[in-house]
Amino acid sequence: PIHYDGPLIRYGPLFIGPNGLPDFGVVFHGGPVQTTTVTYSIYWQPAGTYMSPHYKKLINRFLRDVGGSPIYGMATTYSGSNGQVQNVSSFAASIVDTTPCPAGGPTDADLQTEISKAIASNGWPTGVGVQYHIFTAKNAVRAPGYCAYHSAYNYNHNRSKPIVYEFTPYVGFENGCDPPYGITPNNDVDADGSIISVSHEQMEMVTDPLLNAWYGIGGEIGDICIFSFGVPYDQTGANMVIHGNPYFLQEDFSQALDGCQPNL
């Protein structure tokens, strides 16, 4: 299964709360969470295709910054079958693959093959605490109908080696996936727009890595707060500064605090 995010969201089953009304929060389904994470990024950018000049650098910087941040810290209100989420995430490595993409854009099976190739070539790890973020160049996927999605599969069909991953296509201003009101604190609207999706997917991977932990009628913790950005605090449009770097991020839902956090 895949959990799509953006204009098309695959909603979970309807849950009824103790008052007999639908519960729009999330419900625990017994699976693991990512108690800590190590992240890797894969940029599938064939020769002659476009990514903005600072696209890769800014996304990698966010993945490097996010551990210990308020946005990641909101997930510490969640626990799973393997323990409590900690505000600990490290960025390990990044690669650029210049081999051609399939015509019409990669399928999910193509993306899984690409991730497995990177793991095999670089000796990267597997496991529920590892995150893989994969990106394609502009126009590689045309009007996909979603901003990003996350899923999981078993490496070489081995259940003891799950691969938790998310895909953010380079959609720019397509499908409403650009930053609201064109806010771009890093002066790169494509990168800032993708970082919103990356953060959304990352927090959902942390709390629902194998799609059997935390979700509900409104989807996962990012879906419930998909339009909750708070108020930018200066002229750059940033609503959070992490290690001195500005970001514009959406909030995520805390079941424990019954609201979108970290109250940007």
Side-chain angles (χ1 to χ4, degrees), residues 232-244:
Y233 68 84
D234 64 17
Q235 66 273 16
T236 70
N239 59 8
M240 183 176 295
V241 172
I242 311 173
H243 301 309

Side-chain angles (χ1 to χ4, degrees), residues 8-215:
L8 296 180
I9 297 174
R10 190 192 70 174
Y11 292 99
L14 176 65
F15 296 99
I16 304 299
N19 58 1
L21 298 174
D23 183 352
F24 287 91
V26 289
V27 175
F28 181 53
H29 295 266
V33 294
Q34 294 186 314
T35 56
T36 63
T37 58
V38 178
T39 64
Y40 296 80
S41 59
I42 301 167
Y43 297 90
W44 198 350
Q45 185 184 9
T49 60
Y50 179 79
M51 288 183 176
S52 68
H54 301 291
Y55 190 78
K56 295 184 283 289
K57 178 180 178 181
L58 288 170
I59 291 173
N60 288 347
R61 190 189 74 183
F62 172 74
L63 292 173
R64 186 176 294 111
D65 281 347
V66 72
S69 70
I71 195 69
Y72 202 98
M74 62 73 49
T76 61
T77 60
Y78 290 93
S79 61
S81 60
N82 56 338
Q84 189 89 17
V85 175
Q86 303 173 46
N87 194 352
V88 177
S89 180
S90 61
F91 178 68
S94 176
I95 63 166
V96 178
D97 185 354
T98 59
T99 59
C101 275
T107 65
D108 188 60
D110 293 328
L111 295 172
Q112 291 184 13
T113 298
E114 178 73 5
I115 295 168
S116 292
K117 182 176 73 173
I119 290 171
S121 298
N122 297 282
W124 288 350
T126 62
V128 74
V130 183
Q131 288 187 354
Y132 286 96
H133 300 260
I134 185 165
F135 306 88
T136 47
K138 189 173 184 178
N139 295 327
V141 181
R142 293 184 178 275
Y146 56 84
C147 295
Y149 69 76
H150 72 96
S151 190
Y153 69 97
N154 296 321
Y155 183 62
N156 290 337
H157 307 288
N158 187 336
R159 286 190 176 185
S160 68
K161 296 183 176 182
I163 305 299
V164 180
Y165 68 101
E166 69 93 4
F167 172 47
T168 300
Y170 197 107
V171 293
F173 285 94
E174 295 180 35
N175 302 313
C177 301
D178 53 300
Y181 310 109
I183 293 172
T184 177
N186 293 290
N187 297 311
D188 188 318
V189 71
D190 293 342
D192 283 321
S194 288
I195 287 169
I196 292 173
S197 291
V198 169
S199 177
H200 178 126
E201 299 305 323
Q202 182 173 57
M203 292 296 92
E204 292 185 340
M205 288 193 289
V206 167
T207 54
D208 195 23
L210 304 182
L211 305 182
N212 63 357
W214 290 95
Y215 61 87

